[in-house]
Amino acid sequence: MNRPVASSTEEFDAAAAAIDVPAAAPPVPDAASLPLPGAPAPPVPDAPPTADGWREQALGALSLARDHLLGLQHPEGWWKGELETNVTMDAEDLLLREFLSIRDPETTERSARWIRSQQREDGSWANFFGGPGDLSTTVEAYVALRLAGDQPEAEHMRAAAEYIRGLGGLERARVFTHIWLALFGAWPWERVPVLPPEMMLLPSRVPLNPYDFACWARQTVVALSVVLAIKPVRPLPFGIEELSGPEPWSPPQARSLRGRLLLGLDRILHVYERRPLRFVREAGMARAERWIVDRQEGDGSWGGIQPPWVYSLIALHLRGYPLDHPVMQLGLEGLDAFTIEEPDDSLAAESDEAGGRAGGKREKVRRLEACQSPVWDTALAVIALADAGVPARSPELVRAADWLIGKQVRTRGDWAVRRPAAPPGGWPFEFENSNYPDVDDTAEVVLALLAVDHPDTARIDEAVERGVAWVEAMQSSDGGWGAFDADNCQSLVREVPFCDFGEVIDPPSADVTAHVIEMLAAVGRAGHNPGLAATDWLLAAQEQDGSWFGRWGINHVYGTGAAIPALIAAGHDPSSGPVRRAVRWLEEHQNDDGGWGEDARSYDDPDWIGRGDSTASQTAWALLALHAAGERSPAIRRGIRWLVETQRPDGTWNEPQFTGTGFPSDFYINYHLYRLMFPVMALGRCLR
């Protein structure tokens, strides 16, 4: 079942001669000539030298990147890069600690330093690098800095308040922000949509039950249903009247007839909230409490992600769990494992300019990861290294395979509500997430295991068979795959007044479905019914312009970069119309510098689709697609050249841009290993 891989870099040297590439690239730049983060890449030279020189440069770049990636492997076999998001993680961490009365001055100041460092010139905070300011993010950052002692009269605080007022003030913030403010008496609970815990008593076949929500939203709304039923208030030691907007608050407006009906239901529930049926309310609260406790992961998290984690801690605290209760203690300790503390180089530089650091001390900044991705990173790293010529029997790949097999989930989780007969066997995203394995990770782990020539082949085969069986059972009825659940497509949930915080359902997506098709092809099952239905689904999901929408990566470059290799792996003709349209779309959206990039604003503004500063990860996605389609075109040559020219001396690439997607239009991620793993993958395949 193992797919063939090159056994050494020498094979690439021989194979690369078959690629019609430019004669040579300029030397790999030194550190002084590298572009600053976010700056455009240098122009492509017009007159390249000889073919042998170019091949040597490209192979040298691959070798350097491959060695850097190998050097990042943990002794236990895994890889994990930072998942950088926005400052709401850090602001809400301080607000959580304030609510639980565990906030300390040192933690507060370290987090505040990070928050201050991310403020934009206009006073706002953005949700991704280079993006526009965001009202709710700025409100939460402002309140967190007030907790840290920053005064409203300070220049950076005045700028933030002015920005907030300019966008309508607190009155226009999102529901989540209003909930945080309501916890501290800075927003009336009456202006927060109702989320009754009685929903926990609804059968799974009744609309608006918890299992109609995507798993990430489900865990959040269950915990918040407890919080919103109790409506606690623990006043802040200061007011934030300076953030009020010029117009009074108005209730949310419905976008459809169903939305108007749900707004009417919300008004009825507000009346019910004044005098709920006590025995029904308590039954709902008790079930929510039990549901939350049952789903705590071994690392103390809920789902391995920040939102349900912090709200679950608050909910259980309100239900009487003391801070030294094992569940609370594990949850709070787990947050520390998601925390990054490092020296603040900007403060150190300022101190040096002022005459040197006192006693050589470097102040630290503190930031919280919204999630961690070791399984995902490890699977992609294995695939990339195999593509780059690392021998399939190497100790590094075998050790990684052993670690991955140990992370396979063999117990049932929420996914079994919709697929009760499905055998467990998926993989999660995080170190500990047995309740929520996901299809995307499972597909990539299977591909990674197939790339390893493990001495215990039976162990590999058994894990792969379990994973494939689980994925096939998780196929939605329309032929595609969502990430965590099957047929999680109840669009009514999107109309609930409470749900203004991003995607709340998990319908099939092109990128996840494409990864599954690629996996099925690798195990010889692309021609069976699940694979055939999935291929039909993927072809039908192609946009009119030839691209595919990217749900979990930004955006059409990611979706298209996943779809083309999948179709080719499944036996689709590279000369067919869908593949040719997709290739044409990629070539038309190549930047002048030779790379590819797409800004997160493409989820909201069609003018941004396929547009953005070139990034290493997005350039690699495009190259992987063009290579799979059989292209040997100038577009590939220019893309390889861009990677070679912009590579750092240490073998990786600068990529401050966010190319991962949490929730389209709302939440984005900078996967710090994407800038390395995908270029290694792309260079390896293109030079093979």
Side-chain angles (χ1 to χ4, degrees):
M1 297 175 73
N2 293 343
R3 66 177 185 177
V5 297
S7 61
S8 69
T9 306
E10 286 73 19
E11 288 190 24
F12 285 98
D13 189 53
I19 300 179
D20 180 19
V21 294
V28 176
D30 59 26
S33 66
L34 287 171
L36 294 173
V44 177
D46 293 328
T50 68
D52 288 340
W54 168 258
R55 186 170 65 251
E56 290 170 1
Q57 290 290 330
L59 288 168
L62 173 60
S63 177
L64 192 62
R66 178 195 61 203
D67 291 348
H68 187 102
L69 183 56
L70 279 169
L72 297 177
Q73 187 178 27
H74 188 274
E76 293 179 3
W78 47 265
W79 280 264
K80 184 186 82 66
E82 179 182 347
L83 266 64
E84 181 183 350
T85 54
N86 64 68
V87 298
T88 57
M89 302 298 103
D90 313 288
E92 291 175 4
D93 182 62
L94 292 183
L95 292 168
L96 168 70
R97 293 172 185 278
E98 175 72 11
F99 187 82
L100 298 179
S101 300
I102 58 172
R103 184 174 60 83
D104 64 88
E106 185 175 355
T107 295
T108 300
E109 182 50 35
R110 289 182 176 183
S111 296
R113 287 192 196 108
W114 174 251
I115 293 171
R116 293 187 201 106
S117 74
Q118 301 302 298
Q119 189 175 20
R120 290 159 34 96
E121 289 185 3
D122 63 2
S124 69
W125 280 265
N127 284 342
F128 58 93
F129 178 85
D134 180 78
L135 172 62
S136 295
T137 302
T138 303
V139 169
E140 294 182 24
Y142 181 95
V143 176
L145 290 181
R146 288 297 310 274
L147 285 175
D150 293 20
Q151 295 302 308
E153 298 79 19
E155 182 178 349
H156 67 291
M157 299 294 278
R158 285 203 310 269
E162 183 177 347
Y163 178 87
I164 291 167
R165 291 192 299 269
L167 289 186
L170 297 178
E171 292 78 3
R172 300 293 175 263
R174 62 177 182 166
V175 169
F176 271 17
T177 302
H178 286 162
I179 290 173
W180 280 108
L181 297 176
L183 288 170
F184 298 103
W187 186 259
W189 279 114
E190 293 74 20
R191 293 182 181 177
V192 174
V194 175
L195 193 66
E198 286 86 342
M199 67 185 291
M200 298 300 299
L201 306 177
L202 296 175
S204 60
R205 64 181 179 276
V206 175
L208 301 182
N209 76 86
Y211 296 97
D212 278 352
F213 292 84
C215 76
W216 57 86
R218 180 185 317 140
Q219 298 168 85
T220 300
V221 299
V222 170
L224 280 176
S225 72
V226 175
V227 178
L228 270 61
I230 297 175
K231 298 180 177 61
V233 175
R234 298 181 182 178
L236 295 169
F238 51 81
I240 52 172
E241 297 80 8
E242 66 272 17
L243 303 186
S244 294
E247 301 294 333
W249 175 81
S250 58
Q253 300 300 308
R255 296 171 299 206
S256 66
L257 175 60
R258 293 194 306 175
R260 288 196 291 274
L261 292 173
L262 289 175
L263 281 175
L265 176 61
D266 184 68
R267 286 192 287 270
I268 293 171
L269 289 173
H270 269 288
V271 175
Y272 170 77
E273 284 288 298
R274 297 170 194 164
R275 289 189 177 181
L277 296 174
R278 290 187 179 180
F279 71 95
V280 180
R281 169 58 53 94
E282 180 53 34
M285 295 272 274
R287 183 168 294 185
E289 175 189 326
R290 186 73 258 158
W291 193 96
I292 293 168
V293 172
D294 287 345
R295 281 158 181 77
Q296 187 178 34
E297 301 288 351
D299 60 1
S301 73
W302 278 267
I305 51 178
Q306 183 264 5
W309 196 338
V310 296
Y311 298 127
S312 293
L313 288 171
I314 293 174
L316 294 178
H317 177 64
L318 293 173
R319 287 289 289 175
Y321 285 60
L323 296 180
D324 60 357
H325 187 283
V327 171
M328 297 291 291
Q329 201 166 24
L330 183 62
L332 291 170
E333 290 172 354
L335 287 172
D336 292 336
F338 278 59
T339 300
I340 296 172
E341 293 201 12
E342 62 187 12
D344 187 337
D345 291 330
S346 64
L347 288 178
E350 292 172 6
S351 179
D352 285 342
E353 291 174 4
R357 294 187 285 277
K361 181 180 179 181
R362 300 177 71 189
E363 301 291 354
K364 288 188 176 181
V365 295
R366 177 182 182 275
R367 62 182 178 273
L368 190 71
E369 291 184 281
C371 188
Q372 294 183 337
S373 55
V375 174
W376 180 248
D377 288 347
T378 301
L380 293 177
V382 168
I383 294 169
L385 291 170
D387 285 330
V390 173
R393 291 191 179 187
S394 70
E396 294 86 356
L397 298 193
V398 171
R399 191 162 62 246
D402 285 334
W403 186 83
L404 286 170
I405 291 173
K407 290 299 175 183
Q408 189 170 30
V409 176
R410 303 197 174 202
T411 57
R412 305 176 74 75
D414 279 5
W415 53 267
V417 170
R418 295 284 171 83
R419 292 293 183 269
W427 273 269
F429 190 67
E430 300 87 354
F431 284 113
E432 300 286 346
N433 199 3
S434 59
N435 290 306
Y436 299 101
D438 70 274
V439 170
D440 216 9
D441 271 276
T442 303
E444 293 301 321
V445 169
V446 168
L447 289 171
L449 293 178
L450 295 177
V452 179
D453 188 1
H454 196 282
D456 188 348
T457 56
R459 187 165 177 244
I460 292 282
D461 290 348
E462 195 263 346
V464 166
E465 289 169 7
R466 276 180 171 270
V468 171
W470 182 76
V471 168
E472 288 190 335
M474 293 295 290
Q475 188 172 28
S476 290
S477 55
D478 63 1
W481 275 271
F484 293 90
D485 285 296
D487 289 321
N488 189 262
C489 306
Q490 179 56 270
S491 60
L492 178 66
V493 176
R494 290 173 171 161
E495 305 279 354
V496 174
F498 178 85
C499 296
D500 71 343
F501 57 90
E503 182 60 277
V504 291
I505 59 176
D506 186 16
S509 67
D511 41 317
V512 175
T513 300
H515 293 156
V516 173
I517 292 172
E518 197 171 358
M519 177 202 75
L520 293 175
V523 297
R525 294 186 60 79
H528 295 203
N529 286 336
L532 294 173
T535 300
D536 289 343
W537 186 96
L538 188 60
L539 289 169
Q542 188 174 26
E543 306 286 337
Q544 289 187 346
D545 63 7
S547 68
W548 276 269
F549 176 84
R551 166 62 183 86
W552 296 98
I554 299 174
N555 173 352
H556 291 252
V557 175
Y558 183 73
T560 308
I564 294 178
L567 291 173
I568 301 303
H572 206 73
D573 186 353
S575 65
S576 66
V579 175
R580 289 298 96 199
R581 289 199 306 274
V583 166
R584 184 167 60 249
W585 185 88
L586 285 171
E587 292 179 341
E588 289 173 349
H589 288 83
Q590 187 173 24
N591 287 334
D592 291 340
D593 61 15
W596 278 266
E598 186 169 2
D599 192 279
R601 279 169 280 200
S602 61
Y603 286 108
D604 304 300
D605 182 353
D607 288 341
W608 281 98
I609 291 176
R611 283 183 51 217
D613 293 338
S614 295
T615 69
S617 58
Q618 291 168 318
T619 298
W621 298 338
L623 287 173
L624 288 166
L626 294 175
H627 175 265
E631 294 296 299
R632 298 296 182 267
S633 63
I636 281 192
R637 299 197 295 266
R638 293 173 62 227
I640 293 174
R641 180 186 291 174
W642 185 89
L643 287 175
V644 171
E645 291 173 346
T646 58
Q647 187 179 37
R648 291 165 28 141
D650 65 356
T652 186
W653 282 262
N654 287 326
E655 188 168 292
Q657 294 87 354
F658 288 33
T659 63
T661 307
F663 307 138
S665 302
D666 287 283
F667 191 77
Y668 305 104
I669 303 169
N670 182 342
Y671 289 82
H672 282 207
L673 277 183
Y674 272 19
R675 67 194 68 172
L676 180 60
M677 295 185 298
F678 285 112
V680 169
M681 208 180 291
L683 288 172
R685 293 185 194 181
C686 288
L687 295 175
R688 182 182 301 161

